[in-house]
Amino acid sequence: MSYTGPEFESPQPRRPRRGPLTVALAALVPGALLGWGVYEALGDGGSDGEVRTASSASSASSASAASASSASRTASSAPAPAASRGDDGKVSGSPSAPSSGSGALQGKVVVIDPGHNPGNFRHTAEINRQVDIGTNSKECDTTGTSTNDGYTEARFTLDLAHRLRDLLEREGATVKLTHDGDTPPWGPCVDERARIGNAAHADAAISLHADGSDAGNRGFHVILPGSVHAGAADTRPIVGPSHELGVRVAGTYLRETGEPPANYVGGGTGLVTRTDLGGLNLSTVPKVFIECGNMRDNTDAALLTSGTWRQRAAQGISEGIVSFLRDS
């Protein structure tokens, strides 16, 4: 997802635009992470005039505890992808397969939302349709961004979603995908993506993306829902648990991948709050977005295009979700 949005970049292949964003969140990221230490709490005024305040001590404590409890787990212990999986991670089967595991997450439901869809390039009229996101209307979906060599965000997110699904199902969770590339052949629209998580009564939902910012801008960030109460949107009940989910995912993602927090948004925390994303505004379940890196930066692009690294990324995201669900 390009930060040149406001929600996604313009639906033109590989041509991101820059535009407004709501950056701000003050948070403490776990001190146990690889050499990053304790992030300072800070407040920041977003482009919409809102001022974000520092995250609560309880959120930081929960994130630190989650990191400490899994400190002995390393990227080398991440399960290997299934033998039948190609580099794109494509596997056969329903995008809403029930769990067959017997782990600690039995009874928990996770919805994974792979950002964009490889078929969006062939359905520009459909994805340009305006939908209501509570605060205003936006495009149904967009094509997403790509690396300079043409590796698309939609291809990346779908591969990562398959890897993440495998890991969570091994923990016993029931995992549902909002789409599986060709089912449906485009979209779904951002409002429908939120409704899929709501209808599943998900215990946690995450939308997977990669950014399309300028070269030299690198690193990941997790996007948290801001407080919205307008039209069909009311995020107030999920702001707290979504923040906790985001802090944990940010911490474990950093530890497992070594990818630094973004150097261009979030003030070095790896956390950003936004109120202009339909997938968050319309969610009634705890949900976050993760921008896994910047596809237009050569250093990040080399990671994002590596199947080995994507497995580490899936492991980091999985551990954050598992930690959140075990303690919720």
PDB file of all heavy atoms in Angstrom, residues 13 21 36 50 57 83 100 185 187 191 203 213 260 266 322:
ATOM      1  N   PRO A  13      -0.658   1.086 -12.512  1.00  0.00           N
ATOM      2  CA  PRO A  13       0.424   0.169 -12.213  1.00  0.00           C
ATOM      3  C   PRO A  13       1.743   0.884 -11.972  1.00  0.00           C
ATOM      4  O   PRO A  13       2.193   1.678 -12.775  1.00  0.00           O
ATOM      5  CB  PRO A  13       0.512  -0.716 -13.469  1.00  0.00           C
ATOM      6  CG  PRO A  13      -0.840  -0.582 -14.113  1.00  0.00           C
ATOM      7  CD  PRO A  13      -1.303   0.793 -13.781  1.00  0.00           C
ATOM      8  N   LEU A  21      -1.304  12.135   5.018  1.00  0.00           N
ATOM      9  CA  LEU A  21      -1.396  10.976   5.899  1.00  0.00           C
ATOM     10  C   LEU A  21      -1.579  11.484   7.308  1.00  0.00           C
ATOM     11  O   LEU A  21      -1.283  12.611   7.609  1.00  0.00           O
ATOM     12  CB  LEU A  21      -0.142  10.087   5.805  1.00  0.00           C
ATOM     13  CG  LEU A  21       1.210  10.776   5.980  1.00  0.00           C
ATOM     14  CD1 LEU A  21       1.598  10.886   7.442  1.00  0.00           C
ATOM     15  CD2 LEU A  21       2.269  10.006   5.213  1.00  0.00           C
ATOM     16  N   TRP A  36      17.386  -2.235  19.782  1.00  0.00           N
ATOM     17  CA  TRP A  36      16.629  -0.998  19.589  1.00  0.00           C
ATOM     18  C   TRP A  36      16.319  -0.308  20.893  1.00  0.00           C
ATOM     19  O   TRP A  36      15.997   0.873  20.913  1.00  0.00           O
ATOM     20  CB  TRP A  36      15.326  -1.281  18.816  1.00  0.00           C
ATOM     21  CG  TRP A  36      15.611  -1.525  17.398  1.00  0.00           C
ATOM     22  CD1 TRP A  36      15.798  -2.723  16.804  1.00  0.00           C
ATOM     23  CD2 TRP A  36      15.788  -0.546  16.373  1.00  0.00           C
ATOM     24  NE1 TRP A  36      16.075  -2.547  15.493  1.00  0.00           N
ATOM     25  CE2 TRP A  36      16.076  -1.236  15.186  1.00  0.00           C
ATOM     26  CE3 TRP A  36      15.736   0.839  16.354  1.00  0.00           C
ATOM     27  CZ2 TRP A  36      16.313  -0.576  13.996  1.00  0.00           C
ATOM     28  CZ3 TRP A  36      15.948   1.479  15.166  1.00  0.00           C
ATOM     29  CH2 TRP A  36      16.244   0.775  14.008  1.00  0.00           C
ATOM     30  N   GLU A  50      -5.123  16.353  14.488  1.00  0.00           N
ATOM     31  CA  GLU A  50      -5.251  15.616  15.732  1.00  0.00           C
ATOM     32  C   GLU A  50      -3.899  15.508  16.405  1.00  0.00           C
ATOM     33  O   GLU A  50      -2.867  15.464  15.766  1.00  0.00           O
ATOM     34  CB  GLU A  50      -5.789  14.212  15.460  1.00  0.00           C
ATOM     35  CG  GLU A  50      -7.170  14.203  14.863  1.00  0.00           C
ATOM     36  CD  GLU A  50      -7.642  12.789  14.633  1.00  0.00           C
ATOM     37  OE1 GLU A  50      -7.074  11.861  15.225  1.00  0.00           O
ATOM     38  OE2 GLU A  50      -8.588  12.616  13.851  1.00  0.00           O
ATOM     39  N   ALA A  57       1.264   2.921  29.936  1.00  0.00           N
ATOM     40  CA  ALA A  57       2.291   2.039  30.476  1.00  0.00           C
ATOM     41  C   ALA A  57       1.857   0.599  30.416  1.00  0.00           C
ATOM     42  O   ALA A  57       2.666  -0.301  30.237  1.00  0.00           O
ATOM     43  CB  ALA A  57       2.608   2.435  31.925  1.00  0.00           C
ATOM     44  N   ALA A  83       6.012 -28.125   1.349  1.00  0.00           N
ATOM     45  CA  ALA A  83       6.799 -28.574   0.213  1.00  0.00           C
ATOM     46  C   ALA A  83       6.104 -28.287  -1.111  1.00  0.00           C
ATOM     47  O   ALA A  83       6.745 -28.106  -2.129  1.00  0.00           O
ATOM     48  CB  ALA A  83       7.079 -30.072   0.335  1.00  0.00           C
ATOM     49  N   SER A 100      -7.026 -27.230  11.546  1.00  0.00           N
ATOM     50  CA  SER A 100      -6.913 -28.645  11.885  1.00  0.00           C
ATOM     51  C   SER A 100      -5.873 -28.854  12.966  1.00  0.00           C
ATOM     52  O   SER A 100      -5.505 -29.971  13.272  1.00  0.00           O
ATOM     53  CB  SER A 100      -6.520 -29.443  10.626  1.00  0.00           C
ATOM     54  OG  SER A 100      -5.299 -28.971  10.104  1.00  0.00           O
ATOM     55  N   PRO A 185     -12.039 -12.427  -8.266  1.00  0.00           N
ATOM     56  CA  PRO A 185     -10.999 -12.079  -9.235  1.00  0.00           C
ATOM     57  C   PRO A 185     -10.498 -10.649  -9.117  1.00  0.00           C
ATOM     58  O   PRO A 185      -9.519 -10.286  -9.763  1.00  0.00           O
ATOM     59  CB  PRO A 185     -11.695 -12.312 -10.583  1.00  0.00           C
ATOM     60  CG  PRO A 185     -13.147 -12.114 -10.292  1.00  0.00           C
ATOM     61  CD  PRO A 185     -13.348 -12.645  -8.897  1.00  0.00           C
ATOM     62  N   GLY A 187     -10.618  -7.031  -6.102  1.00  0.00           N
ATOM     63  CA  GLY A 187     -11.049  -6.584  -4.772  1.00  0.00           C
ATOM     64  C   GLY A 187     -10.787  -7.633  -3.707  1.00  0.00           C
ATOM     65  O   GLY A 187      -9.767  -8.310  -3.751  1.00  0.00           O
ATOM     66  N   ASP A 191     -14.632  -1.780   2.118  1.00  0.00           N
ATOM     67  CA  ASP A 191     -15.700  -1.939   3.102  1.00  0.00           C
ATOM     68  C   ASP A 191     -16.061  -3.409   3.288  1.00  0.00           C
ATOM     69  O   ASP A 191     -16.323  -3.869   4.405  1.00  0.00           O
ATOM     70  CB  ASP A 191     -16.931  -1.117   2.713  1.00  0.00           C
ATOM     71  CG  ASP A 191     -17.470  -1.444   1.328  1.00  0.00           C
ATOM     72  OD1 ASP A 191     -16.716  -1.989   0.486  1.00  0.00           O
ATOM     73  OD2 ASP A 191     -18.657  -1.156   1.066  1.00  0.00           O
ATOM     74  N   ASP A 203     -11.222 -12.745  16.353  1.00  0.00           N
ATOM     75  CA  ASP A 203     -10.540 -12.327  17.575  1.00  0.00           C
ATOM     76  C   ASP A 203      -9.400 -11.369  17.249  1.00  0.00           C
ATOM     77  O   ASP A 203      -8.979 -10.591  18.114  1.00  0.00           O
ATOM     78  CB  ASP A 203     -10.013 -13.547  18.318  1.00  0.00           C
ATOM     79  CG  ASP A 203     -11.136 -14.470  18.768  1.00  0.00           C
ATOM     80  OD1 ASP A 203     -11.840 -14.105  19.728  1.00  0.00           O
ATOM     81  OD2 ASP A 203     -11.329 -15.537  18.141  1.00  0.00           O
ATOM     82  N   SER A 213       6.743   4.287  -1.044  1.00  0.00           N
ATOM     83  CA  SER A 213       7.283   5.614  -0.774  1.00  0.00           C
ATOM     84  C   SER A 213       8.560   5.844  -1.584  1.00  0.00           C
ATOM     85  O   SER A 213       8.966   5.002  -2.396  1.00  0.00           O
ATOM     86  CB  SER A 213       7.554   5.755   0.727  1.00  0.00           C
ATOM     87  OG  SER A 213       7.929   7.075   1.057  1.00  0.00           O
ATOM     88  N   PRO A 260      13.973  -2.510  10.276  1.00  0.00           N
ATOM     89  CA  PRO A 260      13.828  -1.432  11.258  1.00  0.00           C
ATOM     90  C   PRO A 260      12.470  -0.750  11.153  1.00  0.00           C
ATOM     91  O   PRO A 260      11.801  -0.826  10.114  1.00  0.00           O
ATOM     92  CB  PRO A 260      14.942  -0.461  10.868  1.00  0.00           C
ATOM     93  CG  PRO A 260      15.082  -0.650   9.390  1.00  0.00           C
ATOM     94  CD  PRO A 260      14.854  -2.125   9.151  1.00  0.00           C
ATOM     95  N   GLY A 266       5.962   7.750  11.794  1.00  0.00           N
ATOM     96  CA  GLY A 266       5.887   7.085  13.093  1.00  0.00           C
ATOM     97  C   GLY A 266       6.929   7.495  14.105  1.00  0.00           C
ATOM     98  O   GLY A 266       6.965   6.944  15.203  1.00  0.00           O
ATOM     99  N   VAL A 322      -0.238 -14.391  17.995  1.00  0.00           N
ATOM    100  CA  VAL A 322      -0.361 -15.450  19.002  1.00  0.00           C
ATOM    101  C   VAL A 322      -0.245 -14.864  20.408  1.00  0.00           C
ATOM    102  O   VAL A 322      -1.030 -15.183  21.309  1.00  0.00           O
ATOM    103  CB  VAL A 322       0.703 -16.529  18.781  1.00  0.00           C
ATOM    104  CG1 VAL A 322       0.760 -17.499  19.958  1.00  0.00           C
ATOM    105  CG2 VAL A 322       0.406 -17.315  17.487  1.00  0.00           C
TER     106      VAL A 322
END
